[in-house]
Amino acid sequence: SAVISQKPSRDICQRGTSLTIQCQVDSQVTMMFWYRQQPGQSLTLIATANQGSEATYESGFVIDKFPISRPNLTFSTLTVSNMSPEDSSIYLCSVERGALGTGELFFGEGSRLTVL
Amino acid sequence: GNSVTQMEGPVTLSEEAFLTINCTYTATGYPSLFWYVQYPGEGLQLLLKATKADDKGSNKGFEATYRKETTSFHLEKGSVQVSDSAVYFCALDTGRRALTFGSGTRLQVQP
């Protein structure tokens, strides 16, 4: 298994501000994923973060709104920019462990953001 | 595109009842299929998986069989416990190493 730590675990933010979420993994991983879980809904993939290259964003998500950094193989950040109440969600970092291509993901406990 | 459809919840059962949570999928190619569970106050964790047709994933008394002919991966347990109360997510991976999730099904088990 993998130990994934996210900070902050929760925050209350004002409209128009930005917040950066940190994800730290206890071992080196090639790919890290950022998901969003809106209230009462399922998880939606925001982007895939590879070390040394720009993140790959899913349809409906753009770099200006959700800039991602991946400075090394154990750490990534997701910034939620210019927040609005619609951004109130749980943001989850995840990594793949085990044999490549198994799709088995490990998740952090998430960062619950409330935007007022 | 890929999609996963789960039965809507909440599902409320008495302890020791039989559980089925339906999951069907649409995908190109031959996806791997997963069930993830989210216990109250905890992060999402893998419950079981199956990587090819007719495979059966099992863990903690839960089972699911990969049915290609019906594009289904229904989750079953013969006798649920109060501690099984959680939200269950069906998911698939087509090799992109990122998952497509269903909407989740909340299970409530009453003593």
Side-chain angles (χ1 to χ4, degrees):
Chain A
S1 64
V3 176
I4 304 172
S5 301
Q6 280 187 237
K7 292 181 181 179
S9 59
R10 59 178 62 229
D11 207 340
I12 299 174
C13 308
Q14 296 299 317
R15 182 195 298 261
T17 62
S18 299
L19 182 77
T20 296
I21 302 167
Q22 299 179 0
C23 178
Q24 179 74 53
V25 188
D26 66 341
S27 59
Q28 295 183 345
V29 293
T30 303
M31 299 174 74
M32 297 177 75
F33 306 92
W34 287 98
Y35 285 84
R36 180 175 73 180
Q37 186 178 17
Q38 292 178 300
Q41 299 188 28
S42 186
L43 286 78
T44 303
L45 180 65
I46 297 172
T48 303
N50 296 325
Q51 193 268 336
S53 63
E54 283 197 3
T56 303
Y57 289 83
E58 297 297 303
S59 175
F61 297 95
V62 295
I63 187 172
D64 289 346
K65 176 66 175 177
F66 297 101
I68 289 172
S69 77
R70 183 79 200 275
N72 58 52
L73 291 174
T74 63
F75 186 78
S76 178
T77 67
L78 169 76
T79 299
V80 186
S81 303
N82 188 24
M83 286 185 284
S84 67
E86 292 72 33
D87 294 320
S88 297
S89 294
I90 300 173
Y91 293 85
L92 297 118
C93 170
S94 71
V95 303
E96 183 184 43
R97 294 294 297 273
L100 290 179
T102 62
E104 179 176 341
L105 298 185
F106 292 88
F107 287 83
E109 292 189 3
S111 300
R112 183 184 295 271
L113 301 189
T114 301
V115 184
L116 302 178
Chain B
N2 301 327
S3 66
V4 177
T5 302
Q6 289 181 235
M7 63 188 293
E8 290 191 17
V11 174
T12 303
L13 296 174
S14 298
E15 209 164 20
E16 299 184 3
F18 184 86
L19 168 70
T20 299
I21 300 178
N22 290 337
C23 171
T24 58
Y25 67 90
T26 302
T28 54
Y30 303 95
S32 296
L33 301 174
F34 305 84
W35 277 100
Y36 279 80
V37 59
Q38 189 173 32
Y39 296 104
E42 298 186 17
L44 206 65
Q45 56 187 278
L46 178 67
L47 179 61
L48 55 83
K49 67 177 182 181
T51 58
K52 62 182 186 295
D54 300 325
D55 268 3
K56 177 184 285 188
S58 61
N59 186 27
K60 299 182 180 180
F62 290 90
E63 292 183 340
T65 301
Y66 189 141
R67 301 287 189 199
K68 191 173 186 298
E69 63 276 14
T70 55
T71 62
S72 66
F73 193 55
H74 304 322
L75 182 68
E76 296 181 336
K77 187 174 185 181
S79 177
V80 294
Q81 305 300 313
V82 172
S83 58
D84 294 325
S85 298
V87 181
Y88 293 82
F89 292 92
C90 186
L92 66 83
D93 172 41
T94 56
R96 292 183 58 231
R97 298 164 73 185
L99 298 182
T100 299
F101 284 87
S103 57
T105 303
R106 182 176 298 277
L107 170 65
Q108 298 173 338
V109 181
Q110 298 176 338

